[in-house]
Amino acid sequence: MNAGFLQVYLGAAPGVGKTFSMLEEGRRLQEQGHDVVVGLVETHGREETARMTEGLEILPRRAVEHRLVQLEEFDLDGLLARHPEWALIDELAHTNAPGSAHLKRWEDVRQLLDAGINVISTVNIQHIESLNDVVQSITGVTQRETIPDSVLRAADQIEVVDLAPEALRTRLSGGKVYPAGTIDAALSNYFRLGNLTALRELALLWLADEVDVALQSYRNEHGITGKWEARERVVVALPGGAEGETLIRRGARIAARSSGGQLLVVHVASSDGLAEANPAALVAQRSLAESLGGSYHQVIGDNTPTSLVEFARGVNATQLVIGVSRRSRLTAFLTGQGIGQTVIRASGDIDVHIVSHAAAGTVQLPKSRGSLTLRRRLIGFALAIGGLPLLTWLLSSLRNGESLVSDVLAFQLLVVIVALVGGIWPAVTAAVIAGVALDFFFVAPLYTVTINDPLHLLALLIFLIIAILVSLVVDQAASRSRAARRSAAEAETLANVAGSIIRGENAVEALANRMREVFGMSSITVTYRGAQLYEAGAVAGGPEVPRTVVELSASGSVVLRGRDLQASDRRILDAFVSQIEVALVQRELRTAAQGIRPLEEADRLRTALLAAVGHDLRTPLSSATAAVSSLRSTDVTWSEQDRDELLATAELSLRRLADLVNDLLDASRLQAGVLPISLSTVGLDEIVPLALDELDVPFGRISVDVAPDLPATRCDPVLVQRVLVNLIANALRYSPDEAPLLITASSFGGRVELRVIDRGPGIPQAKLSEAFQPFQRLGDTDNSSGVGLGLALSNGFMGAMGGALEAEDTPGGGLTMVISLPAVNASSMGGKV
């Protein structure tokens, strides 16, 4: 039996139309004559979705009793018995009720596929296991229902149901996604415009990556090695000079011509052509590339053209941008064909763009090569073999009895030239041939290889020694030049690493990634105190045997996997390791500094408390003291009304003093982490009336919309009441009398939210964070209103209960304070987000 076909509709968020698209596809298949059954569909009360089920056969749901509650679940056995050609099953990541055949719905679907039933299903991007933490960081909501990536990747067809964030918010505002009571909370939380934009990009990028993986698998299976231009990847080679900016901008324009084009900028630091780079220019060019959406890479290679082409093939590049050579004709003749010609010949099916720039065509003196190439040695041999016969013929035609000295010097000059061009072996060859030619053609007896005069023999030996010495000097100079250029390349690499750290990148990660690029390793692992701290790259096809293990002095190690390192690589490796050790020490120092920060905060709070005791408590204390002193005075006879006013003043001042002292004590308890909390299950509809009674709010000043069927919360009702009293009192103080306050409540994402909405002046966006700091009044100069601890204490109370207190702008002007608490039945609500 052939396995069934799995088609999945992927959405960025609830409400984009996944279920609608699934039902639409089911109706299309039914119209074509296929047997289609709706195994399970969740309409969530949406009329448009419910209408799409009309005319389709719907499988009855299976009743399941769990904890005395009747639940309806997908009937797997019923669908297997019915065995349609196509089954429509909504919410692939759903967790089945206890007692079901499988824990997850995707396991039900897998059994249907094994039975030969084709399945169409739906899933949201937040339910994909690998993206769960990313979605949580974007939305603040943790998804408890997830689906393994491998299950989704195994689908035969994945289609993204895309909807612009603005359009989705419009649908939500129109009541087409959630009930009216949850719209405001949804728009202010999960369905913020930024959240939806990020989730949409995440869904599209995930699918694009899956398409890339599928394409690469297809190429591997069919042995296709040539480039396929499914996505433009433009690699720009930086020579290290000022012309790099021109090349980057040209590459960015090429990448921008196609949708999804990628820009990669690479600098090859080596001893062959690109060694004399300007570090400052490379730093500026890296910033330019990143600002244009590209990425910067640096590798070390002994052969620049080969390294460029290998890097381009490694990233599946479609186009390679290089600059016109700056070499003079003489340099080109001595060193052979340039980088551009070599790259073109080796690039194969990668398009190569040679871009002109301001530095192109400038005349430069020939540079001494760090290592003599095969071409130069061959030229040296050719010069010796071809030049010596020509010189012999010329000198023979001018030979006389007194020309021997000039003949020897002429041959000596030619040997030195051969040494300079080709090195030691062409020079030794030229010296031997020149010696034989001098003896045969110019030393008596002529035309014989014999020497009668011992001085002539000495002269020939000196001639040979001079040639060897000159060639040795040339070789040593070449070796030192090569070492100097490699040192320069290593310095460039370390400078770029330092630049990465200065720009704020994680030091250990930056160093490990650069090590991997520089040494061409498959992976690098940094361990510290027995734990793996970071791994750059992934080991393909199973773990490799570590090729190089470097122990760190700080109880750790660096493991490099890939190739064997050469002896010349050890110096820069030691430099990398030293910087990693320094980075680890700095990490420990930062951790210690973070541990000291709470002590600094406590010291700051103590200082503020002393200032409050010395200033803000003086007013109520002075008022109470004056009232009591007046009452005790025998110099004045007070009327009954005067005595009542003085007693009321004393009582009010002492009550205010007690409140201030309690606030200061609570602030100290919060700072010390010893605030007593008594958690219980309670509904917000029980707490709000108590807060209003405590404030004795006039009729008509507050409008309350708190539904009694909201989920209960797990909190300390006394602390929540104190928070609510503080928020309402602040709102009444600043909101105009003609604009009543609004208190609303809603549940969303496993949390219950209570909003206190006023129409006052609000708080400037730049001052919102300061509002929750202790001893802040934000312009309120009335000392009788307290010491500025209200919002700080309220925020601390909420945090201690696992809740949150946030401030938002009220549309149309004003301030909205949002109390957020976890719902008791949060696990059942999490799947609806």
Side-chain angles (χ1 to χ4, degrees):
M1 179 183 298
N2 294 329
F5 183 91
L6 176 59
Q7 179 178 349
V8 178
Y9 286 98
L10 175 66
V16 297
K18 303 179 303 299
T19 304
F20 190 93
S21 299
M22 178 186 71
L23 294 172
E24 191 174 41
E25 177 67 10
R27 293 170 69 95
R28 187 187 66 82
L29 291 170
Q30 188 181 58
E31 291 173 358
Q32 293 178 352
H34 296 281
D35 182 16
V36 180
V37 171
V38 177
L40 184 138
V41 63
E42 298 288 355
T43 64
H44 298 292
R46 301 165 190 165
E47 295 181 2
E48 295 178 355
T49 304
R51 283 197 298 267
M52 290 296 295
T53 62
E54 297 176 0
L56 293 172
E57 179 183 346
I58 301 177
L59 185 74
R61 300 194 184 191
R62 177 175 57 91
V64 178
E65 183 175 334
H66 178 61
R67 295 180 180 177
L68 304 179
V69 177
Q70 285 291 120
L71 303 175
E72 291 186 344
E73 276 292 350
F74 166 58
D75 187 1
L76 175 61
D77 294 334
L79 189 61
L80 288 171
R82 171 65 174 77
H83 205 281
E85 184 182 355
W86 288 89
L88 310 183
I89 302 176
D90 210 359
E91 297 186 358
L92 188 60
H94 174 75
T95 301
N96 293 329
S100 301
H102 301 109
L103 177 63
K104 295 287 188 177
R105 185 165 293 166
W106 60 263
E107 295 176 300
D108 296 339
V109 169
R110 186 163 58 185
Q111 185 172 347
L112 294 174
L113 295 173
D114 292 340
I117 300 174
N118 303 319
V119 177
I120 303 177
S121 189
T122 64
V123 72
N124 278 330
I125 193 69
Q126 69 262 28
H127 296 296
I128 299 178
E129 181 65 42
S130 65
L131 302 179
N132 187 259
D133 57 337
V134 180
V135 175
Q136 194 275 334
S137 66
I138 293 173
T139 64
V141 178
T142 301
Q143 296 296 330
R144 294 174 176 81
E145 292 187 329
T146 59
I147 180 174
D149 291 54
S150 57
V151 174
L152 196 54
R153 291 193 183 104
D156 299 281
Q157 181 175 329
I158 302 175
E159 182 176 339
V160 171
V161 181
D162 188 32
L163 186 65
E166 296 85 354
L168 180 54
R169 284 173 60 86
T170 300
R171 293 194 67 214
L172 183 62
S173 301
K176 297 182 179 180
V177 179
Y178 288 134
T182 62
I183 291 176
D184 290 338
L187 287 172
S188 302
N189 291 276
Y190 194 89
F191 286 81
R192 290 189 179 103
L193 184 61
N195 290 1
L196 296 178
T197 303
L199 292 174
R200 183 190 190 194
E201 181 180 9
L202 198 63
L204 295 174
L205 289 176
W206 187 89
L207 186 61
D209 290 340
E210 292 306 309
V211 172
D212 276 348
V213 171
L215 178 61
Q216 190 61 41
S217 299
Y218 179 85
R219 285 160 55 88
N220 293 338
E221 290 174 2
H222 292 77
I224 301 172
T225 58
K227 70 176 178 68
W228 279 11
E229 299 181 6
R231 179 189 297 186
E232 290 287 359
R233 289 185 177 89
V234 181
V235 173
V236 177
L238 295 183
E243 66 272 23
E245 293 189 4
T246 302
L247 302 179
I248 292 173
R249 289 192 173 92
R250 177 61 62 86
R253 290 197 297 271
I254 295 173
R257 292 173 186 169
S258 64
S259 177
Q262 292 181 339
L263 175 66
L264 299 95
V265 176
V266 61
H267 171 63
V268 180
S270 71
S271 60
D272 197 17
L274 297 181
E276 295 83 5
N278 184 345
L282 285 177
V283 171
Q285 289 161 18
R286 173 174 184 162
S287 299
L288 175 62
E290 292 174 348
S291 68
L292 295 174
S295 58
Y296 178 87
H297 307 267
Q298 180 161 319
V299 296
I300 291 180
D302 291 332
N303 186 285
T304 300
T306 301
S307 299
L308 281 177
V309 174
E310 287 179 352
F311 178 84
R313 292 194 182 282
V315 298
N316 196 25
T318 58
Q319 306 197 49
L320 179 60
V321 178
I322 61 178
V324 172
S325 175
R326 294 180 293 176
R327 304 182 310 160
S328 66
R329 293 183 179 181
L330 179 59
T331 303
F333 173 77
L334 291 177
T335 61
Q337 62 183 4
I339 293 175
Q341 294 177 341
T342 307
V343 167
I344 292 174
R345 190 176 65 250
S347 62
D349 53 4
I350 300 176
D351 297 336
V352 179
H353 300 260
I354 299 182
V355 179
S356 183
H357 48 80
T362 56
V363 178
Q364 299 175 331
L365 294 175
K367 298 179 182 179
S368 176
R369 306 302 294 173
S371 60
L372 298 180
T373 63
L374 177 61
R375 177 186 173 87
R376 284 189 58 176
R377 291 197 295 270
L378 292 176
I379 292 176
F381 279 115
L383 186 60
I385 295 172
L388 286 172
L390 183 61
L391 180 62
T392 301
W393 172 80
L394 178 62
L395 294 178
S396 296
S397 62
L398 303 175
R399 183 177 56 200
N400 56 50
E402 299 178 357
S403 63
L404 180 59
V405 175
S406 60
D407 295 339
V408 171
L409 292 176
F411 275 100
Q412 183 70 72
L413 177 61
L414 180 60
V415 171
V416 170
I417 292 174
V418 171
L420 292 174
V421 173
I424 183 170
W425 296 114
V428 170
T429 302
V432 172
I433 296 175
V436 173
L438 278 171
D439 180 67
F440 190 84
F441 292 101
F442 301 99
V443 178
L446 299 177
Y447 309 117
T448 60
V449 187
T450 58
I451 300 175
N452 294 331
D453 191 343
L455 293 177
H456 290 170
L457 177 61
L458 178 61
L460 289 175
L461 291 176
I462 293 174
F463 178 84
L464 183 61
I465 291 172
I466 290 174
I468 294 174
L469 290 177
V470 169
S471 59
L472 287 176
V473 169
V474 172
D475 251 20
Q476 289 179 359
S479 298
R480 290 173 181 174
S481 178
R482 179 179 184 179
R485 276 194 284 266
R486 180 173 180 86
S487 298
E490 294 172 352
E492 291 174 26
T493 300
L494 295 178
N496 277 279
V497 171
S500 300
I501 299 173
I502 292 173
R503 281 189 295 272
E505 298 180 15
N506 183 285
V508 176
E509 293 182 9
L511 289 166
N513 285 320
R514 293 300 174 206
M515 286 179 69
R516 179 170 171 262
E517 287 184 354
V518 167
F519 296 118
M521 293 294 176
S522 60
S523 69
I524 292 181
T525 305
V526 180
T527 59
Y528 185 60
R529 299 193 185 281
Q532 179 174 310
L533 190 61
Y534 181 72
E535 183 175 34
V539 181
E544 298 180 65
V545 177
R547 295 299 184 93
T548 306
V549 179
V550 182
E551 298 295 332
L552 302 177
S553 60
S555 303
S557 64
V558 178
V559 182
L560 299 90
R561 300 180 181 87
R563 65 178 181 87
D564 291 323
L565 292 178
Q566 301 176 2
S568 58
D569 295 327
R570 289 291 175 174
R571 183 173 58 181
I572 191 171
L573 175 62
D574 292 341
F576 270 109
V577 171
S578 298
Q579 292 204 35
I580 288 178
E581 291 179 337
V582 171
L584 292 174
V585 173
Q586 290 178 344
R587 180 188 289 246
E588 286 195 335
L589 292 176
R590 283 195 299 271
T591 303
Q594 291 174 355
I596 296 173
R597 193 168 300 161
L599 299 178
E600 295 177 347
E601 186 67 21
D603 184 68
R604 188 189 69 81
L605 182 59
R606 280 194 295 270
T607 302
L609 285 172
L610 291 175
V613 171
H615 179 268
D616 296 285
L617 300 185
R618 186 178 303 165
T619 299
L621 185 60
S622 299
S623 299
T625 302
V628 172
S629 298
S630 298
L631 289 171
R632 296 188 61 187
S633 175
T634 59
D635 298 334
V636 180
T637 301
W638 303 101
S639 66
E640 192 67 27
Q641 183 179 357
D642 292 337
R643 291 177 59 83
D644 290 342
E645 288 182 1
L646 289 172
L647 287 173
T649 300
E651 182 183 10
L652 180 62
S653 298
L654 291 174
R655 185 181 299 136
R656 184 174 296 139
L657 182 63
D659 291 341
L660 293 176
V661 171
N662 285 334
D663 285 347
L664 292 172
L665 290 175
D666 285 339
S668 299
R669 294 188 186 104
L670 276 173
Q671 186 68 30
V674 294
L675 179 71
I677 298 176
S678 178
L679 296 179
S680 61
T681 302
V682 64
L684 291 181
D685 59 314
E686 303 174 28
I687 300 176
V688 173
L690 297 176
L692 296 177
D693 289 342
E694 181 178 342
L695 288 169
D696 193 19
V697 181
F699 179 77
R701 287 288 283 126
I702 297 180
S703 176
V704 180
D705 181 15
V706 179
D709 58 348
L710 281 173
T713 65
R714 186 75 175 168
C715 64
D716 187 327
V718 176
L719 292 182
V720 174
Q721 181 178 336
R722 286 186 61 183
V723 172
L724 192 55
V725 167
N726 179 262
L727 298 182
I728 296 175
N730 284 341
L732 288 171
R733 183 180 303 125
Y734 295 107
S735 190
D737 294 339
E738 63 274 11
L741 303 185
L742 178 62
I743 300 178
T744 65
S746 60
S747 63
F748 181 79
R751 301 184 74 83
V752 178
E753 295 182 343
L754 186 70
R755 283 175 162 77
V756 179
I757 305 170
D758 68 51
R759 294 293 179 178
I763 300 178
Q765 192 70 28
K767 296 284 188 179
L768 280 178
S769 59
E770 297 180 14
F772 296 98
Q773 298 299 320
F775 312 105
Q776 298 291 331
R777 292 195 181 91
L778 296 181
D780 183 2
T781 58
D782 179 12
N783 286 344
S784 66
S785 62
V787 295
L789 278 172
L791 284 181
L793 282 175
S794 298
N795 189 40
F797 290 160
M798 298 306 301
M801 292 182 289
L805 178 63
E806 297 179 349
E808 300 176 352
D809 291 331
T810 301
L815 183 67
T816 298
M817 299 302 297
V818 183
I819 295 175
S820 176
L821 289 165
V824 170
N825 56 343
S827 61
S828 64
M829 296 178 61
K832 298 180 181 180
V833 178

